[in-house]
Amino acid sequence: MSLSRIVLTSGRTVELSELRLSSTYGGMLEGYPCKVVNDMKVSGFLRTAERAFPTTPVYLVPPTREYPDETGGAFGPVEVLPAVACIGAFRSAVVAPDHDPVLYRSALTVVWFQSTSHVPSDDPDGPHGLRDLPWDELAQDYEL
């Protein structure tokens, strides 16, 4: 049973089978959110996804970055990512036409950022970028 189903803009239905949520800035004791910090955060979440799901490709939905009117410091202006970092394991029908659709499925691990801790759904106002996943280019088939 999936946590959620999303119909991509391509028309393909993908199922979310596992979801890991983290506070984007959890554990940040010093400094302020800026480009350097955010780039390290994004890279860290990508490495976490690769370790957690080593048999599937990992894709990053580029996060939105906001620039509030706050004074920065030595590392440049304040730059803020959405509050929740997400790592999701998605599954769908087979990608390769030569694979038996009964014996194969396709998989893709996705990293994205969103403002709430809600499970993504087919809501058009859902997390930016998930519905536009180029699944056929990114996902990998696996045998059941």
Side-chain angles (χ1 to χ4, degrees):
M1 185 169 158
S2 66
L3 297 171
S4 178
R5 285 192 173 97
I6 298 172
V7 178
L8 304 180
T9 54
S10 67
R12 176 184 285 274
T13 299
V14 298
E15 297 178 350
L16 178 62
S17 60
E18 186 172 337
L19 178 61
R20 299 178 184 196
L21 304 174
S22 301
S23 170
T24 300
Y25 298 110
M28 186 172 164
L29 300 175
E30 292 187 38
Y32 63 97
C34 61
K35 180 172 179 22
V36 172
V37 169
N38 290 337
D39 289 347
M40 288 190 303
K41 290 284 187 184
V42 170
S43 294
F45 286 114
L46 283 170
R47 283 191 307 277
T48 298
E50 289 165 350
R51 283 192 305 271
F53 302 96
T55 61
T56 60
V58 174
Y59 175 72
L60 170 70
V61 174
T64 58
R65 296 172 187 243
E66 294 183 7
Y67 300 91
D69 191 19
E70 297 177 23
T71 304
F75 296 108
V78 174
E79 177 186 272
V80 181
L81 296 173
V84 181
C86 306
I87 298 173
F90 289 89
R91 305 286 183 257
S92 186
V94 66
V95 172
D98 58 331
H99 282 154
D100 184 338
V102 175
L103 298 176
Y104 287 84
R105 299 276 292 154
S106 59
L108 180 65
T109 299
V110 182
V111 176
W112 75 95
F113 294 81
Q114 60 187 36
S115 59
T116 69
S117 60
H118 297 166
V119 174
S121 67
D122 212 19
D123 179 359
D125 296 326
H128 169 75
L130 282 181
R131 295 195 65 210
D132 296 325
L133 287 174
W135 188 270
D136 290 352
E137 298 168 25
L138 301 170
Q140 178 180 340
D141 288 344
Y142 64 95
E143 190 172 9
L144 296 174

